[in-house]
Short mmCIF file of all heavy atoms in Angstrom, two decimals:
data_model
loop_
_atom_site.label_atom_id
_atom_site.label_comp_id
_atom_site.label_asym_id
_atom_site.label_seq_id
_atom_site.Cartn_x
_atom_site.Cartn_y
_atom_site.Cartn_z
N GLU B 47 -15.89 -11.04 7.25
CA GLU B 47 -14.64 -10.74 7.98
C GLU B 47 -14.94 -9.98 9.28
O GLU B 47 -14.24 -10.16 10.29
CB GLU B 47 -13.70 -9.90 7.10
CG GLU B 47 -13.01 -10.71 6.02
CD GLU B 47 -12.20 -9.83 5.08
OE1 GLU B 47 -12.81 -9.02 4.34
OE2 GLU B 47 -10.97 -9.95 5.08
N ILE B 48 -15.96 -9.14 9.24
CA ILE B 48 -16.33 -8.40 10.46
C ILE B 48 -16.88 -9.39 11.49
O ILE B 48 -16.53 -9.35 12.66
CB ILE B 48 -17.34 -7.28 10.13
CG1 ILE B 48 -16.66 -6.22 9.25
CG2 ILE B 48 -17.89 -6.66 11.41
CD1 ILE B 48 -17.61 -5.16 8.71
N GLU B 49 -17.72 -10.30 11.01
CA GLU B 49 -18.27 -11.33 11.91
C GLU B 49 -17.14 -12.16 12.53
O GLU B 49 -17.16 -12.49 13.71
CB GLU B 49 -19.24 -12.22 11.14
CG GLU B 49 -19.55 -13.54 11.86
CD GLU B 49 -21.03 -13.82 11.93
OE1 GLU B 49 -21.59 -14.09 10.87
OE2 GLU B 49 -21.61 -13.74 13.05
N ASP B 50 -16.13 -12.47 11.71
CA ASP B 50 -15.01 -13.29 12.21
C ASP B 50 -14.24 -12.59 13.33
O ASP B 50 -13.56 -13.25 14.12
CB ASP B 50 -14.05 -13.63 11.06
CG ASP B 50 -14.68 -14.60 10.06
OD1 ASP B 50 -15.70 -15.22 10.41
OD2 ASP B 50 -14.14 -14.72 8.94
N MET B 51 -14.33 -11.26 13.38
CA MET B 51 -13.62 -10.54 14.44
C MET B 51 -14.20 -10.82 15.82
O MET B 51 -13.55 -10.57 16.83
CB MET B 51 -13.67 -9.03 14.18
CG MET B 51 -12.76 -8.59 13.05
SD MET B 51 -12.77 -6.79 12.93
CE MET B 51 -11.99 -6.60 11.33
N LYS B 52 -15.44 -11.32 15.84
CA LYS B 52 -16.06 -11.63 17.14
C LYS B 52 -15.18 -12.52 18.00
O LYS B 52 -15.12 -12.37 19.21
CB LYS B 52 -17.40 -12.35 16.90
CG LYS B 52 -18.57 -11.41 16.68
CD LYS B 52 -19.80 -12.08 16.07
CE LYS B 52 -20.32 -13.28 16.81
NZ LYS B 52 -21.56 -13.80 16.16
N SER B 53 -14.52 -13.47 17.36
CA SER B 53 -13.76 -14.44 18.14
C SER B 53 -12.34 -13.97 18.47
O SER B 53 -11.57 -14.69 19.10
CB SER B 53 -13.69 -15.76 17.37
OG SER B 53 -13.03 -15.53 16.14
N LEU B 54 -12.00 -12.76 18.03
CA LEU B 54 -10.65 -12.27 18.30
C LEU B 54 -10.62 -11.31 19.48
O LEU B 54 -11.61 -10.65 19.79
CB LEU B 54 -10.11 -11.52 17.07
CG LEU B 54 -9.99 -12.32 15.76
CD1 LEU B 54 -9.55 -11.40 14.63
CD2 LEU B 54 -9.02 -13.49 15.94
N SER B 55 -9.44 -11.20 20.12
CA SER B 55 -9.23 -10.20 21.17
C SER B 55 -9.07 -8.84 20.50
O SER B 55 -8.93 -8.75 19.27
CB SER B 55 -7.95 -10.52 21.93
OG SER B 55 -6.85 -10.42 21.04
N ARG B 59 -7.85 -8.18 16.57
CA ARG B 59 -8.57 -7.31 15.63
C ARG B 59 -7.65 -6.21 15.11
O ARG B 59 -7.66 -5.87 13.93
CB ARG B 59 -9.78 -6.69 16.33
CG ARG B 59 -10.84 -7.72 16.74
CD ARG B 59 -11.85 -7.14 17.74
NE ARG B 59 -12.79 -8.17 18.19
CZ ARG B 59 -13.65 -8.01 19.19
NH1 ARG B 59 -13.69 -6.84 19.86
NH2 ARG B 59 -14.46 -8.98 19.53
N TYR B 251 -18.05 -2.72 17.09
CA TYR B 251 -19.11 -3.38 16.31
C TYR B 251 -19.08 -4.89 16.57
O TYR B 251 -20.13 -5.50 16.79
CB TYR B 251 -18.93 -3.07 14.82
CG TYR B 251 -20.14 -3.40 13.98
CD1 TYR B 251 -21.15 -2.47 13.76
CD2 TYR B 251 -20.28 -4.67 13.40
CE1 TYR B 251 -22.27 -2.77 13.00
CE2 TYR B 251 -21.40 -4.99 12.64
CZ TYR B 251 -22.39 -4.04 12.43
OH TYR B 251 -23.50 -4.35 11.68
N ALA B 252 -17.88 -5.45 16.60
CA ALA B 252 -17.74 -6.89 16.86
C ALA B 252 -18.24 -7.24 18.26
O ALA B 252 -18.92 -8.25 18.46
CB ALA B 252 -16.29 -7.32 16.68
N ASP B 253 -17.92 -6.38 19.23
CA ASP B 253 -18.38 -6.63 20.60
C ASP B 253 -19.91 -6.56 20.69
O ASP B 253 -20.53 -7.32 21.43
CB ASP B 253 -17.77 -5.61 21.58
CG ASP B 253 -16.34 -5.97 21.94
OD1 ASP B 253 -15.98 -7.16 21.79
OD2 ASP B 253 -15.59 -5.07 22.36
N LEU B 255 -21.98 -7.25 18.26
CA LEU B 255 -22.48 -8.48 17.63
C LEU B 255 -22.44 -9.62 18.64
O LEU B 255 -23.38 -10.38 18.80
CB LEU B 255 -21.60 -8.86 16.43
CG LEU B 255 -21.78 -8.07 15.13
CD1 LEU B 255 -20.73 -8.55 14.12
CD2 LEU B 255 -23.17 -8.26 14.55
N LEU B 256 -21.30 -9.67 19.35
CA LEU B 256 -21.07 -10.73 20.32
C LEU B 256 -22.11 -10.72 21.43
O LEU B 256 -22.60 -11.75 21.86
CB LEU B 256 -19.66 -10.53 20.90
CG LEU B 256 -18.91 -11.71 21.45
CD1 LEU B 256 -18.76 -12.80 20.40
CD2 LEU B 256 -17.51 -11.26 21.91
N GLU B 258 -24.99 -9.56 21.11
CA GLU B 258 -26.30 -9.61 20.43
C GLU B 258 -27.11 -8.33 20.58
O GLU B 258 -28.34 -8.34 20.57
CB GLU B 258 -27.10 -10.84 20.87
CG GLU B 258 -26.35 -12.11 20.50
CD GLU B 258 -27.08 -13.39 20.87
OE1 GLU B 258 -28.09 -13.31 21.61
OE2 GLU B 258 -26.64 -14.46 20.43
N LEU B 262 -25.65 -8.78 12.28
CA LEU B 262 -24.63 -8.53 11.27
C LEU B 262 -25.22 -7.70 10.12
O LEU B 262 -26.25 -8.06 9.56
CB LEU B 262 -24.08 -9.85 10.73
CG LEU B 262 -22.88 -9.74 9.79
CD1 LEU B 262 -21.68 -9.12 10.51
CD2 LEU B 262 -22.51 -11.09 9.20
#
Side-chain angles (χ1 to χ4, degrees):
E47 284 174 294
I48 294 172
E49 164 131 69
D50 291 344
M51 286 186 193
K52 274 164 54 177
S53 61
L54 300 176
S55 64
R59 295 165 184 170
Y251 195 89
D253 281 338
L255 284 175
L256 206 57
E258 299 181 349
L262 188 63

